[in-house]
Amino acid sequence: EITKDWLRYVCKKNGGYSIPSLNDTLYLHFKGLDKIQNLDEYTAVRSIFLEGNGLESLDGLEHCFNLRCLYAQQNMITTLSSTLPNSITVLNLSHNAICDLQSIGSLINLQTLLVDSKNNLQVKHTLTSVQYFTRATSAPHSGGDLTTLLTLQ
């Protein structure tokens, strides 16, 4: 469980600060987390590493207003949270169980989206802001139509 004290400990251990609002990066990868919580004071965070946990959802990041890069690969996420901050520009969802990207349209600043063949995507939306989209091990493509990019892969 993510407690406020545990977050402060992890921040200090990784060269961050005990004052939540001073941290711009959170290293929470490979911690066995199953839920994101108590990040409401981390409003200045720009990057969060959540790789290799047991997360089924990305709920709990709504207070991270300055979040630009979210690395949530190797989890058990099935759908995208509608409460993700729209400041996100890089989103890594590789090695999850994503089958629906319906909420991705709210990420108006998204430029790079990483998913792979482990995700069972059924895309019905177009993203005009995405510059790089990668699925499986293919090289990124320039463009914006996510449906077309998925077809190209």
Side-chain angles (χ1 to χ4, degrees):
E1 180 178 329
I2 298 177
T3 65
K4 291 183 180 195
D5 288 338
W6 182 81
L7 280 168
R8 284 187 180 98
Y9 167 78
V10 169
C11 287
K12 287 180 74 175
K13 182 179 176 187
N14 289 300
Y17 305 97
S18 59
I19 299 171
S21 61
L22 296 179
N23 292 287
D24 63 357
T25 303
L26 288 179
Y27 298 101
L28 304 176
H29 52 303
F30 302 107
K31 303 289 186 201
L33 305 175
D34 61 359
K35 183 178 179 182
I36 301 168
Q37 56 191 10
N38 291 317
L39 295 182
D40 49 315
E41 296 177 10
Y42 291 81
T43 55
V45 169
R46 297 177 59 86
S47 299
I48 300 179
F49 294 83
L50 290 166
E51 176 183 3
N53 286 294
L55 299 172
E56 294 180 10
S57 166
L58 291 174
D59 290 332
L61 296 170
E62 57 272 2
H63 296 287
C64 300
F65 304 115
N66 293 302
L67 186 61
R68 300 290 185 269
C69 301
L70 178 57
Y71 303 98
Q73 65 270 28
Q74 296 179 347
N75 280 285
M76 300 182 305
I77 301 164
T78 55
T79 59
L80 214 50
S81 173
S82 61
T83 62
L84 283 175
N86 64 12
S87 57
I88 294 174
T89 60
V90 176
L91 179 59
N92 189 340
L93 295 171
S94 305
H95 293 86
N96 277 288
I98 301 283
C99 57
D100 181 16
L101 287 175
Q102 185 172 358
S103 298
I104 202 139
S106 66
L107 300 178
I108 57 174
N109 294 302
L110 188 64
Q111 295 176 8
T112 303
L113 173 64
L114 296 135
V115 295
D116 61 12
S117 58
K118 304 274 187 218
N119 294 297
N120 186 21
L121 291 175
Q122 299 188 6
V123 178
K124 299 175 184 168
H125 304 282
T126 300
L127 286 177
T128 56
S129 64
V130 173
Q131 295 174 359
Y132 299 101
F133 174 84
T134 303
R135 184 170 182 178
T137 58
S138 300
H141 295 278
S142 179
D145 186 326
L146 184 58
T147 306
T148 302
L149 292 173
L150 276 171
T151 306
L152 291 173
Q153 303 288 324

